[in-house]
Each structure stands twice: as structure tokens, then as C-alpha cells.
Amino acid sequence: MAKAKIINDPIHGFITIPHGLLLNCVEHPWFQRLRRIRQLGVADFVYPGALHTRFHHALGAMHLMGLAIQTLRGKGVKISDNECEAAQAAILLHDIGHGPFSHALEHSFIAGCSHERIGAMLIARMNTEFGGRLAMALEMFEGRYSRRFFHQLISSQLDVDRLDYLKRDSFFTGVIEGGVGSSRILKMLDVVDDELVIEEKGIYSVEAFLNARRIMYWQVYLHKTTVSAEAMLALLMQRARELSIENAGLRLPLSLEPFFSQTINPEKLESTPELLDAYAMLDDFDIWACVKEWLGFPDFVLNLLCKGLLDRKLFKIELGSEPISPERVKACREIIQAGCRLTSEETELLVSTGEVSNAAYVARGGHINILTRNGQIIDIAKASDLSQIDAMQKPVKKFYLCRWNPLPLQP
């Protein structure tokens, strides 16, 4: 039997990985791959310290799950050892479906498929490999387990996933406003009628958590420089795919060939074991190797994108409250085309638009329920005396124009 491991984590201190199933999951190649996937993608272009990985985060979330279950057991919630192990395994593996650069290239390899769905496929395969020992964990991960609060601990408006990544991302970026009092919130957890609740005396900690999440989205996850770099990454992959389809002589590593030679939908991925195996090998290093390799390829757009990412010469980006008009996009492309003597096809990928959205608390995605001193259960938005909690329920959208800027553009 494997020995237990102790890891010194900069956020939570010493984390113990129990022997048996959990340690086997950590030692699995698909989980070890998370060491090679940055938690925040290209956010280090803005915050140089943001170099932590999905591996760090997954271990931290597993640790917090153990603390949450310890608290609930102390309040009389019956949780078996098998349920405890399954819940920790589920949160440990919750990000295993992420591809290179996490959210930045979420749909660049598998069309219309979230990392959660891919994660469920990988956990199902590991369950078979482990002789069915991950069956309960998979049920909890997918929200099919009979005791609903386990899934709420894994994925909800206030889960151990968010409690870890907010604190961890705040630490590594240096954005101290994003830090959360995870210990206090965990101590306030309880379960009523199979629903996760927060005791009323923890309401201020929850308010601080929601505000920290709002701040982290605008200052880190949706920082305009990060959005620009992510857009360039997506455009680079799009251009490389086009050149590959055109058989233009673009060299592809074996790791990427299956995803450039065909369009893969979720059904095909699930039914083709070798494709799932290939996906489970992809990481950030594959993409950076391609960026360096393609730097010398004789295609202006691909070369420009590669050099821009390597040298941090990013596209200019503008954010506003109104959608970018097609006329504005066309004008920008025409100016670039005329000023740099490019073809219309070349300028197509040098101007892009999109939108970003921030909603710190979306009740329709699962309420944060407060257990009052008189036994009532009410939504945090009604229990809080802060009017801004209501405001946080309304998604704030911003629209962006991201463009190459070889010369000032004023269409």
C-alpha cells in the first residue's frame, strides 16, 4: 500500500494526501499533467507572479473539502468514510478536463465541449481503471449523487473550488483585495434538508467573498491585457488550423495532429478512446513549443501572432459598454490593410471582437442560503443589509475590440 504524502502548500500550509484512492489519483499521469497547465493561463503577462498551476489548485481544493467535511461531521451531519473519500476525489479531479491555457483555449480543440464534460469522461475512464472505486466520486461530480450537498461543495455559488482559487489567485497575483476568509466560511457551513447553508454569523464573510470575487474578475480574470493575450492565442490556433487544412506545409507536433486534421465534437471524443488519450496529454508546453516552431513559418498572420505572444507585443484592446459595430471592425481592417499592404484575408484575423461578463452572484445558478438564528433559510441577497449584493446578481457586460496596432487607428 502506498504511503501518505505531505505537501507544503503556500496557501494552506501542510496538506496531507491520504494513502489509497486519493494518492493513486494524484499519481495518475492525467492528474500529473495539471502540473503543466497554468491556473490563470496568460495572466502572468499582467501579474508576473501568476505562475501557479491547476495541480496546486486541485490539491488545495481537496484539502478544503476535507476541512468542510470535518466541520459538518462536528455539527452532526452523518458522512461516511466512503463519502468523505469520494467527495475529496471528486474535487481533486474537478479540473482534470482542462486543456492547455485553461479557459483561454476551452473550445479550440473540442467543438462545443466544456472542460467539465471532458473531466467527467476522464473520471469515468479512471473509474474503470481503478475497478469502480471512483463511481461515487463521479456521481457527486455530475450532481447525480442522492445527497445534494456534496455536489454543492464541489460546484455552486459558494464551493471549495472558489474558496481555494480566489485565495490562491489573490496570493500569486498580489491582488490582496481578492483574498477571502476561507477558514471562517468553512466553520460556518451546515446542512439543512440536504442543502448546504451558512450560519447567520458568517454572513459578513460571505459578503466579503462575493465582493472579492467581483474584484478578481475585473482586476485579474477579465483584465483587458489578459483578454487581449487570450484572444491572440485563440486567433493563433485558428490560423494554424486554417493553414493545416490548406496543406500549406505547417509542421504539427504529434500531440496536436488529431485535433487539427478533423473537427471533434463531444460525442466523437467520448466514443474514441485514443482521442481522449491524446487530449489527456495536451498541456501548455505543447502550445509554447508550437509558437516557437511556427515563428519562422512564411505566413504573415501566424508569424505576427507568434512573435507578439513570445515578445509580449499584444494587440491593442478597447472595452466599452456598447457592442462593437460591424462598420467599426471593417474600418479598422481597411486601415490595416491599406497601411501595411496586406490582403483582406490577412487582415481578417488581425481585428477581433467579443464580450466579457462578470456576475459575482447568480442566484439562478444555485442560491447561497443563510441559516438564521430562528431557523429560517433565506437567500444571501435578502439576508444581507448591503444593497450591493442585489447589484451583484446583475451580470455586467463589456464589449471589446482587439486589434493589431502597427500604426494609430482612428476610423
Side-chain angles (χ1 to χ4, degrees), residues 269-285:
L269 182 68
E270 191 165 19
S271 62
T272 314
E274 56 269 25
L275 281 178
L276 192 58
D277 288 336
Y279 180 89
M281 287 294 293
L282 293 175
D283 56 48
D284 294 3
F285 290 76

Side-chain angles (χ1 to χ4, degrees), residues 44-326:
D44 63 302
F45 282 9
V46 184
Y47 301 100
L51 302 176
H52 55 303
T53 66
R54 292 276 160 186
F55 184 86
H56 295 131
H57 163 57
L59 290 176
M62 181 203 71
H63 174 71
L64 294 186
M65 179 65 81
L67 295 180
I69 289 174
Q70 182 180 342
T71 294
L72 294 177
R73 279 175 162 174
K75 295 179 180 179
V77 180
K78 301 296 183 183
I79 298 174
S80 70
D81 289 344
N82 286 339
E83 287 176 323
C84 177
E85 183 180 64
Q88 287 185 287
I91 195 64
L92 181 70
L93 300 175
H94 78 285
D95 273 347
I96 201 171
H98 267 298
F101 291 97
S102 298
H103 295 285
L105 298 178
E106 178 103 3
H107 301 291
S108 292
F109 299 101
I110 312 299
C113 192
S114 67
H115 72 273
E116 291 93 350
R117 184 168 179 183
I118 298 173
M121 297 178 197
L122 291 171
I123 296 172
R125 282 276 301 276
M126 289 177 66
N127 183 46
T128 301
E129 184 180 332
F130 290 169
R133 295 166 64 201
L134 284 172
M136 187 185 295
L138 182 58
E139 289 181 2
M140 290 179 178
F141 178 79
E142 295 184 316
R144 297 184 287 109
Y145 190 63
S146 57
R147 306 183 76 184
R148 174 177 164 77
F149 72 87
F150 281 111
H151 182 68
Q152 292 174 328
L153 284 169
I154 297 165
S155 179
S156 66
Q157 291 293 308
L158 183 60
D159 52 38
V160 295
D161 174 26
R162 297 182 184 192
L163 288 177
D164 181 83
Y165 78 62
L166 286 174
K167 193 167 186 175
R168 189 172 301 275
D169 296 348
S170 169
F171 175 84
F172 282 101
T173 60
V175 180
I176 59 174
E177 297 89 349
V180 296
S182 56
S183 298
R184 170 72 174 171
I185 292 174
L186 290 174
K187 290 295 184 182
M188 296 298 104
L189 289 177
D190 205 344
V191 173
V192 176
D193 295 332
D194 204 35
E195 293 282 334
L196 203 63
V197 298
I198 301 290
E199 293 177 5
E200 186 175 2
K201 55 189 175 182
I203 192 169
Y204 299 119
S205 297
V206 176
E207 291 173 350
F209 160 82
L210 292 174
N211 193 50
R213 187 165 184 263
R214 181 181 64 85
I215 290 172
M216 287 295 287
Y217 263 83
W218 287 133
Q219 287 195 220
V220 179
Y221 312 134
L222 300 180
H223 189 287
K224 67 176 186 177
T225 304
T226 303
V227 173
S228 174
E230 289 180 347
M232 288 177 68
L233 259 178
L235 291 171
L236 185 149
M237 298 303 291
Q238 182 181 339
R239 184 57 178 163
R241 183 183 295 276
E242 291 172 354
L243 293 170
S244 178
I245 292 172
E246 293 170 6
N247 197 24
L250 183 69
R251 291 181 58 182
L252 291 174
L254 292 176
S255 59
L256 289 186
E257 276 187 0
F259 306 97
F260 278 64
S261 61
Q262 59 189 313
T263 299
I264 304 173
N265 57 30
E267 292 72 27
K268 186 169 186 176
L269 182 68
E270 191 165 19
S271 62
T272 314
E274 56 269 25
L275 281 178
L276 192 58
D277 288 336
Y279 180 89
M281 287 294 293
L282 293 175
D283 56 48
D284 294 3
F285 290 76
D286 292 299
I287 306 304
W288 279 124
C290 287
V291 171
K292 294 172 71 176
E293 173 73 22
W294 295 338
L295 187 61
F297 188 77
D299 177 79
F300 178 83
V301 173
L302 187 66
N303 194 284
L304 177 70
L305 291 166
C306 289
K307 187 170 179 58
L309 287 169
L310 282 172
D311 299 343
R312 199 189 176 278
K313 304 298 183 184
L314 305 179
F315 284 9
K316 297 297 181 182
I317 186 167
E318 305 168 15
L319 287 110
S321 57
E322 298 296 326
I324 309 300
S325 69

Side-chain angles (χ1 to χ4, degrees), residues 332-354:
C332 287
R333 287 175 176 159
E334 287 176 348
I335 292 177
I336 292 176
Q337 183 179 348
C340 301
R341 298 179 181 177
L342 302 176
T343 66
S344 59
E345 290 76 14
E346 286 175 321
T347 59
E348 191 70 24
L349 295 181
L350 299 181
V351 181
S352 67
T353 61

Side-chain angles (χ1 to χ4, degrees), residues 152 190-200 203 361 366-384:
Q152 292 174 328
D190 205 344
V191 173
V192 176
D193 295 332
D194 204 35
E195 293 282 334
L196 203 63
V197 298
I198 301 290
E199 293 177 5
E200 186 175 2
I203 192 169
Y361 178 52
H367 296 271
I368 296 178
N369 290 319
I370 302 298
L371 177 64
T372 65
R373 290 178 175 83
N374 60 13
Q376 286 186 308
I377 297 177
I378 55 178
D379 185 87
I380 179 67
K382 296 180 179 178
S384 173

